[in-house]
Structure formats: structure tokens, C-alpha cells
Amino acid sequence: MNHRIIPLFISLAMTVAATAQTSKEEIYKDIYRTGSNYFAYPKPKTQKLTMAPKGYEPFYISHYGRHGSRYMSNNDYYVTAINKLDSARQFGILSAKGEDVLAKLQIGYADAWHREGDLSKLGARQHREIAHRMYERFHELLSQPLQIDAKSSTSRRCMLSMFNFCQELQIMNPNLEIAMDASKRDMKYVVEDLSIKPKATAQSETYEQQRSAIFERAHNSDRLMASLFTDVLRASLFVDGRMLMEALYNVVEDLQNVPELNISLIDIFTKDELFNMWTGYNAGWLLSAGLIPGSTPNYLQQKEVLDSIVSTADHVIQAGKPCITLRFSHDSSVLPLSFLLGLKEAMGGTSDIENLYKHISIDKIIPMAANIQLIFYRKKGSDDILVKFLLNENETSVPALKTNCAPYYHWSDVKEYLITKHE
């Protein structure tokens, strides 16, 4: 059977070619994608999954996900924006547009008060819906009296995401035996290990300077200031336009995660402004994780989690008893894991920082409630285990691996690839 690992140089070439590029036009069709990791979870594009080869049935699911939609982790952005606009109002230089923005900011801040980083109502629904779809898609597995091992980060939003996910599964099948936990003892299997500090590279500093230039250029606040204040010159005496623009961007993008407020401020920016700011944030995330060639390989902080996924899968395969593993973590964990697994959406990073977004777009990888699912299949009388990868519930691929049954891969090949790649 011709399904061996291809040489590294061919692998890299295929990886770049296989990665679906992102265009400005694509972003403009769903402008909320400019929120990057603020982007509210989109429902999967794949409605009907590819059937497994004849005779193969699912027996194990390894799920690794991010918490659902949340409030901003810091309300300083609200405070900054409200204080500056309120001061302008007192000086009588706040425009009609500024008055409208201030009123909406005050509504949003009142709702977000003392909820920094908390799971929103939408975040809870997202996990219930993901769990519901998992049950429907893999009914033959989940309708059994299975054991489910669920662990989350000690963050409240992760624990509540786990609870909502598991509760939905329990409703669908009361015979499920679900064990939930959120202990510091298990964190090395759930989140990245920050005690691992890969040696910084000189190239990373160069990249950071380029990223910073993109970020600062994107925060040209001249047009925004003119729309919010009737006297821009006077406003500039106490308003740092660049700081205000950054604050408003964060508030604007996070509001999509609390839709029950029925307010939106996204129209205070032009599509070009949102796109330009997004490219800076996108590059920042990819540089931070080490997904750009030559950058500091911080993705290695997620190696323990990857090893746990592999070893747990092997244990389940050997035990021969169907079950499910659930892990609930953060965007900073899902992004490097997608790279370590070799998923196409996380591959193809380029040193061309200006055009990096065309190759890797983090809103496709780590929106709120992002998740990676490994679905394992076996055939009676055969030792050949197959595995399929889902990213945000959509079938995806590992370009560095060949397979004769795409989108399914032979676990022996996947395991060898993961071990060899990250030795």
C-alpha cells in the first residue's frame, strides 16, 4: 500500500500549495472575520462528512477545543474609549456619530462589567451545538453507553464550556458515563507548557519589526477622529488617536460574541481599516506561535499535549473499548497544536510578513469555540486503524502525508509522522 511519508522538501512544497489562500475579497464577504481570535464560531461548512471505507466504523474521538465566545479579558479598552469620548462630550466637541458610539459603548460596558474573560451566552450555545452535531454525525458511537473523559483548563470559561458540551451529550444519551475535571495536575495535557522557553531567533526580531510596522500603519486614526469629533485639533490635545483606534477595534470585534445586546459598532471603521488591522493581528499571532519560518518555535510548548493525544489514542486502540476524550483549552493552545498536527490551515507560513495572511488566516483556525477532532475508525478483523481530522468540524488534511483513502489516514503513518517530525 502506497501511503508512506513523503520527503521533507516535497512535504513543504505540497504544504504551501495545499493551503487555501485568503483574499481581501473573501474577508470583505464576512467582515467579522477581521476579529481574528474574537471571531464568533462559524457553523461548519461541511454538512455531510465523507463516508469511511467499507467496513470501517468510528470507535474513538479525541476532541481538543477552545472555550466558546467570551467577554474581553480586559475591560480597559471600554474604559479608554468611554473616558475619551465622554470628555469630548463635556467639551462640546463630540459629533453626532460620536454620541451614538458613546451610548453603545456604555451599554456594552454595563453588560461586561465584572465579566472580564467570562463565557458569554453565545459561548455556551456554541459548545452545546458542537456536541449536538458530534452526536448526530457519529451516532453509532455516541448512542452506546460510553465512558467520556473530559478535562479543561482551570479557567472558568473553559470549565463552563466543558460543562455545556458534556451536558448536551448527556441529554442526547443518558447512558454516557462522563467524568469531568479541571485540575492543575492535568494542565500539561490540556494547555501549553509556558515553562518551556525555546531559544529566541534573530529572525524573530526582524519579523517583529516588520509586524509592528504593519500594525502601526494600520492604526492611522485621521478619518476615525474626524468622524467622532467636531474639532479634531482640540480633541488631539487629550485623545491619542492610535490608542483610541486600538481600543475601539477590540470592543467592536468582541461585541459579536454578545449578540443578545443587539448593538454593533463595526460601521465606525471602513472595511479597509478593519482588514489592515486584522493583517497586523494575524501576523502577531503567527509570529508568537512560531509558525513563520525561522521564528522562535514556541509551538514546542504544546508538545506535551500532542504526546498525550498520541499516547492516549494508542492506549484506547490497544484496550479495544470505544470511548471519547475531550479537552477544553484556549486559542493559544489550539493554534500551535494545529501546526504540530500538520493541518493544512496552519501550514505554509512565509517570511513575507506583508502577505502572510494569504497563506495562514487565524480566523479559520482559532475562532471562539475552535476545535480539532481526531476520529478513529477500525474494521473488524483488521489491525489497520484509520483516522480523520476535523478542524472546526470541517474535514481537513495533513499535506505532508500521503493516503490512499483521503480524507482518512492510516494511524500508523500519522503516528510515525508526528513522532519523527517533532523528535
Side-chain angles (χ1 to χ4, degrees), residues 154-415:
T154 53
S155 165
R156 288 196 310 272
R157 57 183 175 270
C158 289
M159 290 188 281
L160 287 171
S161 293
M162 173 177 67
F163 172 78
N164 279 279
F165 194 107
C166 292
Q167 189 176 57
E168 183 66 23
L169 290 180
Q170 192 80 76
I171 290 172
M172 301 295 285
N173 181 2
N175 293 319
L176 294 174
E177 187 177 327
I178 304 175
M180 289 185 279
D181 201 1
S183 169
K184 289 183 179 179
R185 179 174 180 171
D186 299 319
M187 286 306 95
K188 64 180 179 179
Y189 308 124
V190 178
V191 299
E192 68 273 20
D193 186 352
L194 297 179
S195 69
I196 297 175
K197 299 185 183 299
K199 186 177 180 179
T201 66
Q203 189 62 37
S204 273
E205 179 58 32
T206 300
Y207 288 148
E208 175 54 29
Q209 293 173 2
Q210 294 172 350
R211 182 213 65 82
S212 180
I214 294 172
F215 191 78
E216 294 305 320
R217 189 168 64 245
H219 286 76
N220 183 334
S221 62
D222 292 349
R223 188 210 59 80
L224 178 67
M225 292 281 284
S227 72
L228 298 176
F229 308 110
T230 57
D231 188 336
V232 175
L233 183 61
R234 188 177 181 188
S236 64
L237 297 176
F238 59 91
V239 177
D240 182 324
R242 181 246 182 270
M243 187 178 295
L244 177 63
M245 193 170 187
E246 182 178 356
L248 286 172
Y249 166 87
N250 281 272
V251 172
V252 164
E253 296 291 4
D254 190 64
L255 280 173
Q256 64 183 286
N257 296 295
V258 282
E260 61 273 11
L261 294 181
N262 292 315
I263 58 175
S264 173
L265 286 168
I266 203 157
D267 66 344
I268 68 174
F269 295 115
T270 67
K271 288 186 176 182
D272 278 344
E273 287 169 342
L274 289 167
F275 177 83
N276 292 335
M277 287 188 284
W278 167 74
T279 58
Y281 282 105
N282 190 67
W285 270 95
L286 298 177
L287 179 57
S288 176
L291 274 58
I292 304 174
S295 61
T296 304
N298 290 321
Y299 56 80
L300 293 175
Q301 294 174 333
Q302 194 71 338
K303 180 67 163 52
E304 191 80 43
V305 171
L306 177 70
D307 290 346
S308 174
I309 289 173
V310 173
S311 61
T312 301
D314 272 348
H315 176 75
V316 172
I317 291 169
Q318 293 169 12
K321 185 177 181 181
C323 62
I324 295 176
T325 300
L326 304 173
R327 299 289 179 268
F328 298 87
S329 190
H330 303 265
D331 44 12
S332 58
S333 304
V334 175
L335 182 60
L337 180 60
S338 65
F339 178 78
L340 287 172
L341 289 169
L343 304 186
K344 69 176 183 180
E345 290 81 1
M347 311 305 287
T350 171
S351 59
D352 181 3
I353 305 301
E354 289 279 353
N355 293 296
L356 183 58
Y357 73 90
K358 294 180 180 179
H359 303 278
I360 308 180
S361 176
I362 67 166
D363 49 281
K364 293 180 178 179
I365 306 173
I366 52 170
M368 298 290 184
N371 57 89
I372 298 170
Q373 296 177 17
L374 280 67
I375 318 298
F376 290 79
Y377 294 75
R378 68 176 4 141
K379 181 179 180 179
K380 190 173 181 180
S382 173
D383 294 329
D384 186 22
I385 304 298
L386 299 183
V387 62
K388 174 166 62 178
F389 297 89
L390 302 181
L391 176 61
N392 298 324
E393 301 178 83
N394 297 304
E395 291 177 337
T396 187
S397 63
V398 179
L401 285 176
K402 281 186 177 180
T403 178
N404 60 351
C405 51
Y408 296 85
Y409 293 85
H410 299 269
W411 175 240
S412 58
D413 287 349
V414 172
K415 181 181 175 182

Side-chain angles (χ1 to χ4, degrees), residues 9 30 34 45 67 149 151 195 202 211 255 312 326 332 342 369-370:
F9 71 92
D30 186 356
T34 57
K45 297 177 182 178
H67 57 74
D149 177 65
K151 288 183 170 62
S195 69
R211 182 213 65 82
L255 280 173
T312 301
L326 304 173
S332 58

Side-chain angles (χ1 to χ4, degrees), residues 20-84:
Q21 292 197 345
T22 299
S23 66
K24 180 182 288 190
E25 292 71 28
E26 182 184 345
I27 292 294
Y28 281 7
K29 288 180 181 179
D30 186 356
I31 200 62
Y32 282 101
R33 283 180 53 184
T34 57
S36 300
N37 61 313
Y38 281 125
F39 183 40
Y41 189 73
K43 291 186 177 179
K45 297 177 182 178
T46 305
Q47 300 302 319
K48 188 175 182 180
L49 300 179
T50 305
M51 291 184 62
K54 186 176 181 179
Y56 279 88
E57 296 181 352
F59 70 95
Y60 175 53
I61 296 176
S62 180
H63 172 281
Y64 189 89
R66 181 192 182 191
H67 57 74
S69 283
R70 61 163 171 80
Y71 289 87
M72 283 189 298
S73 55
N74 192 323
N75 277 335
D76 285 352
Y77 290 123
Y78 266 120
V79 174
T80 295
I82 289 174
N83 284 348
K84 297 305 180 184

